[in-house]
Amino acid sequence: MRKFINKPQDVARETVEGFLAVHGDRFEAIPGTLAVRRRRLRDKVAVVSGGGSGHEPVWLEYIGTGFADAVCQGDVFAAPDPHSIAQAAKAVERGRGILFVYGNYSGDRLNFDLAAELLAEEGHRVRTVRVADDVAAAPPGRARDRRGIAGGYFVAKAAGAAAEAGLPLDVVHDVAARVADATRSMGVASGAGTVPGTGEPTFDLPEGHLEIGMGMHGEAGVRRAAMMTADDTVDEMLERILADRPVPDGDSVSVLVNGLGATTRAELLIIARRARHRLTRLGLTIHTLHLGNYATSQEMHGFSLTVSATPRELREYYDAPAWASFLTGTKEVSGA
């Protein structure tokens, strides 16, 4: 075992405990669950997100001012149970409705939908936005079957910003859904991560090769290839992303360069340099460019690229000041 953990079955719980050990002034545990909530809640739509542990900072740290009000995690790479999700939602609901935002994986869909049914039976209004940004997961005709990866950052931030602005539930849902529809991502890896306790890689990859389009849990990509340069890899990924969701010449896009856990910051900077160069040459304006670990897969070596079309009428939600524990180099606001 090459991980600094205790018992494998305690990883998810102790991860939450560690988060609260650092940020307990802003957040608190919801008893009986792997969920946390903001300590200081406003009278607004409640935004609730979650998913499997092991991908931190998503979703555990996607909480704070301008993000979620509560986050409910499951075990490593496993969906949270519906009763815990419902309990988390009720802990932050203030009579203005609840918006669920989460990645489009089968277990998450099932359990969040069951939670929504439980809440509806008690009279709560619930809307849902699923993040399905991975262009490699399914063709355009089956876009609803796509999994969510790092593009959830833009969706979560837009939902949080709209809720902080005091907008009603249907409008918050519409803003988040529009950003989700405008967002496309793709990942690539040259080395797998391992699930704590198993000691086995999430996928097998010959030395000197990379997996193009793999998923956050090691799902197979669109093809395998001999290791390529950073520039060639970025070019192929952007070609696939923009073919799936074309952006007209002259329009603005927001870009996310995301490390998957073991990728060095130097590599990510080299990748970001090429992404800006290519997108600018294609006639697009870079509205924002984010870089760092936003959605990881244990110690997977690789990265994902996200391009989110950013029309003028949505920019206020991309640009709204926000605070979350993992953010660096962005506008921050006090309080949580």
Side-chain angles (χ1 to χ4, degrees), residues 9 14 16 19 39 50 100 114 122 135 139 144 148 155 185-186 189 203 211 222 241 253 265 278 282-283 320 328 332:
Q9 63 268 29
E14 292 183 348
V16 172
F19 174 71
R39 286 187 178 274
F100 284 161
L114 287 172
E122 296 182 14
V135 301
R144 291 186 178 181
V155 183
S185 302
M186 190 172 184
F203 60 90
E211 184 86 17
V222 293
I241 289 170
V253 294
R265 193 162 179 85
R278 287 293 296 172
L282 291 170
T328 59
E332 294 188 358

PDB file of all heavy atoms in Angstrom, residues 9 14 16 19 39 50 100 114 122 135 139 144 148 155 185-186 189 203 211 222 241 253 265 278 282-283 320 328 332:
ATOM      1  N   GLN A   9     -11.618   1.146   4.659  1.00  0.00           N
ATOM      2  CA  GLN A   9     -13.055   1.395   4.809  1.00  0.00           C
ATOM      3  C   GLN A   9     -13.347   2.711   5.528  1.00  0.00           C
ATOM      4  O   GLN A   9     -14.500   3.168   5.558  1.00  0.00           O
ATOM      5  CB  GLN A   9     -13.738   0.241   5.548  1.00  0.00           C
ATOM      6  CG  GLN A   9     -13.263   0.021   6.972  1.00  0.00           C
ATOM      7  CD  GLN A   9     -12.130  -0.986   7.066  1.00  0.00           C
ATOM      8  OE1 GLN A   9     -11.340  -1.129   6.134  1.00  0.00           O
ATOM      9  NE2 GLN A   9     -12.072  -1.701   8.182  1.00  0.00           N
ATOM     10  N   GLU A  14     -12.911   9.635   7.121  1.00  0.00           N
ATOM     11  CA  GLU A  14     -11.782  10.410   7.638  1.00  0.00           C
ATOM     12  C   GLU A  14     -11.418  11.567   6.721  1.00  0.00           C
ATOM     13  O   GLU A  14     -10.866  12.577   7.181  1.00  0.00           O
ATOM     14  CB  GLU A  14     -10.588   9.490   7.877  1.00  0.00           C
ATOM     15  CG  GLU A  14     -10.830   8.517   9.033  1.00  0.00           C
ATOM     16  CD  GLU A  14      -9.635   7.633   9.335  1.00  0.00           C
ATOM     17  OE1 GLU A  14      -8.688   7.598   8.517  1.00  0.00           O
ATOM     18  OE2 GLU A  14      -9.650   6.977  10.399  1.00  0.00           O
ATOM     19  N   VAL A  16     -13.721  13.430   5.210  1.00  0.00           N
ATOM     20  CA  VAL A  16     -14.652  14.467   5.668  1.00  0.00           C
ATOM     21  C   VAL A  16     -14.184  15.050   6.994  1.00  0.00           C
ATOM     22  O   VAL A  16     -14.203  16.273   7.204  1.00  0.00           O
ATOM     23  CB  VAL A  16     -16.077  13.896   5.791  1.00  0.00           C
ATOM     24  CG1 VAL A  16     -17.005  14.909   6.449  1.00  0.00           C
ATOM     25  CG2 VAL A  16     -16.611  13.502   4.419  1.00  0.00           C
ATOM     26  N   PHE A  19     -11.396  17.429   6.335  1.00  0.00           N
ATOM     27  CA  PHE A  19     -11.890  18.688   5.769  1.00  0.00           C
ATOM     28  C   PHE A  19     -12.434  19.589   6.876  1.00  0.00           C
ATOM     29  O   PHE A  19     -12.152  20.796   6.908  1.00  0.00           O
ATOM     30  CB  PHE A  19     -12.973  18.387   4.731  1.00  0.00           C
ATOM     31  CG  PHE A  19     -13.654  19.597   4.180  1.00  0.00           C
ATOM     32  CD1 PHE A  19     -12.992  20.458   3.322  1.00  0.00           C
ATOM     33  CD2 PHE A  19     -14.968  19.888   4.529  1.00  0.00           C
ATOM     34  CE1 PHE A  19     -13.625  21.590   2.808  1.00  0.00           C
ATOM     35  CE2 PHE A  19     -15.607  21.005   4.019  1.00  0.00           C
ATOM     36  CZ  PHE A  19     -14.925  21.856   3.167  1.00  0.00           C
ATOM     37  N   ARG A  39     -22.185  26.627   7.741  1.00  0.00           N
ATOM     38  CA  ARG A  39     -22.685  27.036   9.049  1.00  0.00           C
ATOM     39  C   ARG A  39     -23.615  28.244   8.941  1.00  0.00           C
ATOM     40  O   ARG A  39     -24.595  28.343   9.663  1.00  0.00           O
ATOM     41  CB  ARG A  39     -21.513  27.376   9.979  1.00  0.00           C
ATOM     42  CG  ARG A  39     -20.748  26.152  10.493  1.00  0.00           C
ATOM     43  CD  ARG A  39     -19.720  26.568  11.527  1.00  0.00           C
ATOM     44  NE  ARG A  39     -19.006  25.430  12.070  1.00  0.00           N
ATOM     45  CZ  ARG A  39     -19.424  24.683  13.097  1.00  0.00           C
ATOM     46  NH1 ARG A  39     -20.585  24.968  13.678  1.00  0.00           N
ATOM     47  NH2 ARG A  39     -18.712  23.666  13.541  1.00  0.00           N
ATOM     48  N   GLY A  50     -23.030  16.429  -4.694  1.00  0.00           N
ATOM     49  CA  GLY A  50     -22.410  15.266  -4.073  1.00  0.00           C
ATOM     50  C   GLY A  50     -22.074  14.195  -5.085  1.00  0.00           C
ATOM     51  O   GLY A  50     -22.309  14.327  -6.287  1.00  0.00           O
ATOM     52  N   PHE A 100     -30.441  20.206  -7.008  1.00  0.00           N
ATOM     53  CA  PHE A 100     -29.404  19.186  -7.002  1.00  0.00           C
ATOM     54  C   PHE A 100     -28.492  19.409  -8.210  1.00  0.00           C
ATOM     55  O   PHE A 100     -28.973  19.573  -9.336  1.00  0.00           O
ATOM     56  CB  PHE A 100     -30.009  17.785  -7.105  1.00  0.00           C
ATOM     57  CG  PHE A 100     -30.640  17.262  -5.838  1.00  0.00           C
ATOM     58  CD1 PHE A 100     -31.540  16.207  -5.898  1.00  0.00           C
ATOM     59  CD2 PHE A 100     -30.331  17.791  -4.604  1.00  0.00           C
ATOM     60  CE1 PHE A 100     -32.121  15.698  -4.739  1.00  0.00           C
ATOM     61  CE2 PHE A 100     -30.909  17.296  -3.439  1.00  0.00           C
ATOM     62  CZ  PHE A 100     -31.803  16.243  -3.516  1.00  0.00           C
ATOM     63  N   LEU A 114     -34.100   9.249  -6.104  1.00  0.00           N
ATOM     64  CA  LEU A 114     -34.854   8.704  -4.974  1.00  0.00           C
ATOM     65  C   LEU A 114     -34.947   9.733  -3.851  1.00  0.00           C
ATOM     66  O   LEU A 114     -36.005   9.888  -3.219  1.00  0.00           O
ATOM     67  CB  LEU A 114     -34.190   7.420  -4.466  1.00  0.00           C
ATOM     68  CG  LEU A 114     -34.346   6.181  -5.350  1.00  0.00           C
ATOM     69  CD1 LEU A 114     -33.470   5.049  -4.835  1.00  0.00           C
ATOM     70  CD2 LEU A 114     -35.809   5.740  -5.393  1.00  0.00           C
ATOM     71  N   GLU A 122     -42.537  15.064   1.149  1.00  0.00           N
ATOM     72  CA  GLU A 122     -42.619  15.902   2.347  1.00  0.00           C
ATOM     73  C   GLU A 122     -42.936  17.355   1.999  1.00  0.00           C
ATOM     74  O   GLU A 122     -42.937  18.213   2.886  1.00  0.00           O
ATOM     75  CB  GLU A 122     -41.308  15.826   3.123  1.00  0.00           C
ATOM     76  CG  GLU A 122     -40.992  14.448   3.660  1.00  0.00           C
ATOM     77  CD  GLU A 122     -39.700  14.418   4.464  1.00  0.00           C
ATOM     78  OE1 GLU A 122     -39.204  15.511   4.829  1.00  0.00           O
ATOM     79  OE2 GLU A 122     -39.186  13.322   4.724  1.00  0.00           O
ATOM     80  N   VAL A 135     -17.235  14.438 -23.628  1.00  0.00           N
ATOM     81  CA  VAL A 135     -17.582  14.148 -25.023  1.00  0.00           C
ATOM     82  C   VAL A 135     -17.154  12.753 -25.447  1.00  0.00           C
ATOM     83  O   VAL A 135     -17.654  12.226 -26.445  1.00  0.00           O
ATOM     84  CB  VAL A 135     -16.972  15.198 -25.981  1.00  0.00           C
ATOM     85  CG1 VAL A 135     -17.467  16.587 -25.639  1.00  0.00           C
ATOM     86  CG2 VAL A 135     -15.443  15.154 -25.976  1.00  0.00           C
ATOM     87  N   PRO A 139     -21.705   9.382 -28.061  1.00  0.00           N
ATOM     88  CA  PRO A 139     -21.827  10.287 -29.207  1.00  0.00           C
ATOM     89  C   PRO A 139     -22.891  11.350 -28.950  1.00  0.00           C
ATOM     90  O   PRO A 139     -23.696  11.231 -28.015  1.00  0.00           O
ATOM     91  CB  PRO A 139     -22.236   9.352 -30.345  1.00  0.00           C
ATOM     92  CG  PRO A 139     -22.882   8.189 -29.676  1.00  0.00           C
ATOM     93  CD  PRO A 139     -22.171   8.018 -28.381  1.00  0.00           C
ATOM     94  N   ARG A 144     -27.149  12.528 -23.290  1.00  0.00           N
ATOM     95  CA  ARG A 144     -27.671  12.379 -21.929  1.00  0.00           C
ATOM     96  C   ARG A 144     -27.033  11.211 -21.195  1.00  0.00           C
ATOM     97  O   ARG A 144     -27.160  11.097 -19.972  1.00  0.00           O
ATOM     98  CB  ARG A 144     -29.181  12.207 -21.967  1.00  0.00           C
ATOM     99  CG  ARG A 144     -29.937  13.463 -22.391  1.00  0.00           C
ATOM    100  CD  ARG A 144     -31.431  13.277 -22.258  1.00  0.00           C
ATOM    101  NE  ARG A 144     -32.158  14.489 -22.608  1.00  0.00           N
ATOM    102  CZ  ARG A 144     -33.475  14.613 -22.558  1.00  0.00           C
ATOM    103  NH1 ARG A 144     -34.214  13.581 -22.173  1.00  0.00           N
ATOM    104  NH2 ARG A 144     -34.062  15.744 -22.895  1.00  0.00           N
ATOM    105  N   GLY A 148     -20.121  12.896 -16.131  1.00  0.00           N
ATOM    106  CA  GLY A 148     -19.624  14.211 -15.779  1.00  0.00           C
ATOM    107  C   GLY A 148     -18.184  14.136 -15.313  1.00  0.00           C
ATOM    108  O   GLY A 148     -17.792  13.208 -14.598  1.00  0.00           O
ATOM    109  N   VAL A 155     -20.576  24.520 -13.800  1.00  0.00           N
ATOM    110  CA  VAL A 155     -21.997  24.344 -13.493  1.00  0.00           C
ATOM    111  C   VAL A 155     -22.264  24.641 -12.018  1.00  0.00           C
ATOM    112  O   VAL A 155     -23.209  25.357 -11.670  1.00  0.00           O
ATOM    113  CB  VAL A 155     -22.468  22.934 -13.858  1.00  0.00           C
ATOM    114  CG1 VAL A 155     -23.964  22.785 -13.607  1.00  0.00           C
ATOM    115  CG2 VAL A 155     -22.134  22.612 -15.320  1.00  0.00           C
ATOM    116  N   SER A 185     -15.988  18.616 -22.080  1.00  0.00           N
ATOM    117  CA  SER A 185     -14.692  18.243 -21.522  1.00  0.00           C
ATOM    118  C   SER A 185     -14.186  16.953 -22.149  1.00  0.00           C
ATOM    119  O   SER A 185     -14.953  16.191 -22.745  1.00  0.00           O
ATOM    120  CB  SER A 185     -14.790  18.039 -19.999  1.00  0.00           C
ATOM    121  OG  SER A 185     -15.265  19.178 -19.336  1.00  0.00           O
ATOM    122  N   MET A 186     -12.897  16.720 -21.936  1.00  0.00           N
ATOM    123  CA  MET A 186     -12.294  15.446 -22.338  1.00  0.00           C
ATOM    124  C   MET A 186     -11.056  15.220 -21.488  1.00  0.00           C
ATOM    125  O   MET A 186     -10.347  16.170 -21.133  1.00  0.00           O
ATOM    126  CB  MET A 186     -11.928  15.463 -23.820  1.00  0.00           C
ATOM    127  CG  MET A 186     -11.512  14.112 -24.367  1.00  0.00           C
ATOM    128  SD  MET A 186     -11.311  14.166 -26.162  1.00  0.00           S
ATOM    129  CE  MET A 186     -10.960  12.428 -26.469  1.00  0.00           C
ATOM    130  N   ALA A 189      -5.029  10.165 -19.925  1.00  0.00           N
ATOM    131  CA  ALA A 189      -4.183   9.698 -18.822  1.00  0.00           C
ATOM    132  C   ALA A 189      -3.069   8.807 -19.344  1.00  0.00           C
ATOM    133  O   ALA A 189      -3.248   8.057 -20.309  1.00  0.00           O
ATOM    134  CB  ALA A 189      -5.013   8.935 -17.796  1.00  0.00           C
ATOM    135  N   PHE A 203      -7.107   0.942 -14.316  1.00  0.00           N
ATOM    136  CA  PHE A 203      -7.034   0.401 -15.673  1.00  0.00           C
ATOM    137  C   PHE A 203      -5.586   0.030 -15.964  1.00  0.00           C
ATOM    138  O   PHE A 203      -4.655   0.500 -15.299  1.00  0.00           O
ATOM    139  CB  PHE A 203      -7.573   1.384 -16.719  1.00  0.00           C
ATOM    140  CG  PHE A 203      -6.845   2.708 -16.778  1.00  0.00           C
ATOM    141  CD1 PHE A 203      -5.742   2.889 -17.605  1.00  0.00           C
ATOM    142  CD2 PHE A 203      -7.283   3.788 -16.020  1.00  0.00           C
ATOM    143  CE1 PHE A 203      -5.085   4.106 -17.669  1.00  0.00           C
ATOM    144  CE2 PHE A 203      -6.645   5.015 -16.070  1.00  0.00           C
ATOM    145  CZ  PHE A 203      -5.526   5.175 -16.905  1.00  0.00           C
ATOM    146  N   GLU A 211      -4.173   6.846 -22.586  1.00  0.00           N
ATOM    147  CA  GLU A 211      -5.585   6.563 -22.839  1.00  0.00           C
ATOM    148  C   GLU A 211      -6.274   7.891 -23.102  1.00  0.00           C
ATOM    149  O   GLU A 211      -6.262   8.791 -22.248  1.00  0.00           O
ATOM    150  CB  GLU A 211      -6.226   5.870 -21.640  1.00  0.00           C
ATOM    151  CG  GLU A 211      -7.654   5.447 -21.842  1.00  0.00           C
ATOM    152  CD  GLU A 211      -7.783   4.078 -22.486  1.00  0.00           C
ATOM    153  OE1 GLU A 211      -6.794   3.323 -22.497  1.00  0.00           O
ATOM    154  OE2 GLU A 211      -8.883   3.778 -22.983  1.00  0.00           O
ATOM    155  N   VAL A 222     -11.645   6.709 -25.948  1.00  0.00           N
ATOM    156  CA  VAL A 222     -11.974   6.508 -27.355  1.00  0.00           C
ATOM    157  C   VAL A 222     -10.854   5.795 -28.099  1.00  0.00           C
ATOM    158  O   VAL A 222     -11.098   5.155 -29.122  1.00  0.00           O
ATOM    159  CB  VAL A 222     -12.293   7.847 -28.039  1.00  0.00           C
ATOM    160  CG1 VAL A 222     -13.568   8.438 -27.479  1.00  0.00           C
ATOM    161  CG2 VAL A 222     -11.148   8.852 -27.901  1.00  0.00           C
ATOM    162  N   ILE A 241     -13.499  18.303 -28.704  1.00  0.00           N
ATOM    163  CA  ILE A 241     -14.414  19.110 -27.892  1.00  0.00           C
ATOM    164  C   ILE A 241     -15.176  20.105 -28.755  1.00  0.00           C
ATOM    165  O   ILE A 241     -16.408  20.228 -28.659  1.00  0.00           O
ATOM    166  CB  ILE A 241     -13.627  19.837 -26.782  1.00  0.00           C
ATOM    167  CG1 ILE A 241     -13.157  18.839 -25.719  1.00  0.00           C
ATOM    168  CG2 ILE A 241     -14.482  20.934 -26.141  1.00  0.00           C
ATOM    169  CD1 ILE A 241     -12.171  19.416 -24.719  1.00  0.00           C
ATOM    170  N   VAL A 253     -14.998  31.973 -24.480  1.00  0.00           N
ATOM    171  CA  VAL A 253     -15.059  30.680 -23.807  1.00  0.00           C
ATOM    172  C   VAL A 253     -14.310  30.773 -22.484  1.00  0.00           C
ATOM    173  O   VAL A 253     -13.367  31.551 -22.334  1.00  0.00           O
ATOM    174  CB  VAL A 253     -14.453  29.543 -24.656  1.00  0.00           C
ATOM    175  CG1 VAL A 253     -15.279  29.289 -25.904  1.00  0.00           C
ATOM    176  CG2 VAL A 253     -13.004  29.831 -25.016  1.00  0.00           C
ATOM    177  N   ARG A 265       2.362  20.629 -11.687  1.00  0.00           N
ATOM    178  CA  ARG A 265       1.888  21.950 -12.069  1.00  0.00           C
ATOM    179  C   ARG A 265       2.608  22.432 -13.319  1.00  0.00           C
ATOM    180  O   ARG A 265       2.009  23.126 -14.154  1.00  0.00           O
ATOM    181  CB  ARG A 265       2.081  22.929 -10.913  1.00  0.00           C
ATOM    182  CG  ARG A 265       1.339  24.244 -11.095  1.00  0.00           C
ATOM    183  CD  ARG A 265       1.191  24.993  -9.794  1.00  0.00           C
ATOM    184  NE  ARG A 265       0.503  26.261  -9.976  1.00  0.00           N
ATOM    185  CZ  ARG A 265      -0.811  26.410  -9.997  1.00  0.00           C
ATOM    186  NH1 ARG A 265      -1.587  25.351  -9.860  1.00  0.00           N
ATOM    187  NH2 ARG A 265      -1.373  27.600 -10.158  1.00  0.00           N
ATOM    188  N   ARG A 278      -4.026  27.696 -29.120  1.00  0.00           N
ATOM    189  CA  ARG A 278      -4.889  27.083 -30.126  1.00  0.00           C
ATOM    190  C   ARG A 278      -6.247  27.764 -30.201  1.00  0.00           C
ATOM    191  O   ARG A 278      -6.763  28.047 -31.285  1.00  0.00           O
ATOM    192  CB  ARG A 278      -5.077  25.595 -29.821  1.00  0.00           C
ATOM    193  CG  ARG A 278      -3.855  24.751 -30.101  1.00  0.00           C
ATOM    194  CD  ARG A 278      -3.539  24.685 -31.584  1.00  0.00           C
ATOM    195  NE  ARG A 278      -4.598  24.016 -32.341  1.00  0.00           N
ATOM    196  CZ  ARG A 278      -4.647  23.953 -33.656  1.00  0.00           C
ATOM    197  NH1 ARG A 278      -3.720  24.569 -34.382  1.00  0.00           N
ATOM    198  NH2 ARG A 278      -5.632  23.310 -34.268  1.00  0.00           N
ATOM    199  N   LEU A 282      -7.981  29.971 -33.282  1.00  0.00           N
ATOM    200  CA  LEU A 282      -9.285  29.613 -33.846  1.00  0.00           C
ATOM    201  C   LEU A 282     -10.269  30.777 -33.813  1.00  0.00           C
ATOM    202  O   LEU A 282     -11.422  30.629 -34.219  1.00  0.00           O
ATOM    203  CB  LEU A 282      -9.859  28.412 -33.091  1.00  0.00           C
ATOM    204  CG  LEU A 282      -9.130  27.077 -33.312  1.00  0.00           C
ATOM    205  CD1 LEU A 282      -9.633  26.029 -32.327  1.00  0.00           C
ATOM    206  CD2 LEU A 282      -9.314  26.601 -34.752  1.00  0.00           C
ATOM    207  N   GLY A 283      -9.830  31.917 -33.303  1.00  0.00           N
ATOM    208  CA  GLY A 283     -10.665  33.110 -33.300  1.00  0.00           C
ATOM    209  C   GLY A 283     -11.534  33.275 -32.068  1.00  0.00           C
ATOM    210  O   GLY A 283     -12.449  34.105 -32.055  1.00  0.00           O
ATOM    211  N   ALA A 320     -18.917  35.823 -10.794  1.00  0.00           N
ATOM    212  CA  ALA A 320     -19.357  36.214  -9.455  1.00  0.00           C
ATOM    213  C   ALA A 320     -18.321  35.831  -8.403  1.00  0.00           C
ATOM    214  O   ALA A 320     -17.758  34.726  -8.431  1.00  0.00           O
ATOM    215  CB  ALA A 320     -20.692  35.550  -9.128  1.00  0.00           C
ATOM    216  N   THR A 328      -7.740  29.004  -5.839  1.00  0.00           N
ATOM    217  CA  THR A 328      -6.613  29.916  -5.745  1.00  0.00           C
ATOM    218  C   THR A 328      -6.651  30.829  -6.954  1.00  0.00           C
ATOM    219  O   THR A 328      -7.107  30.438  -8.035  1.00  0.00           O
ATOM    220  CB  THR A 328      -5.262  29.188  -5.717  1.00  0.00           C
ATOM    221  OG1 THR A 328      -5.128  28.407  -6.913  1.00  0.00           O
ATOM    222  CG2 THR A 328      -5.155  28.280  -4.511  1.00  0.00           C
ATOM    223  N   GLU A 332     -12.310  36.207  -3.992  1.00  0.00           N
ATOM    224  CA  GLU A 332     -12.858  35.520  -2.841  1.00  0.00           C
ATOM    225  C   GLU A 332     -13.748  36.467  -2.058  1.00  0.00           C
ATOM    226  O   GLU A 332     -13.569  37.689  -2.092  1.00  0.00           O
ATOM    227  CB  GLU A 332     -11.760  34.976  -1.931  1.00  0.00           C
ATOM    228  CG  GLU A 332     -10.929  33.875  -2.583  1.00  0.00           C
ATOM    229  CD  GLU A 332      -9.979  33.216  -1.607  1.00  0.00           C
ATOM    230  OE1 GLU A 332      -9.961  33.647  -0.440  1.00  0.00           O
ATOM    231  OE2 GLU A 332      -9.269  32.283  -2.014  1.00  0.00           O
TER     232      GLU A 332
END
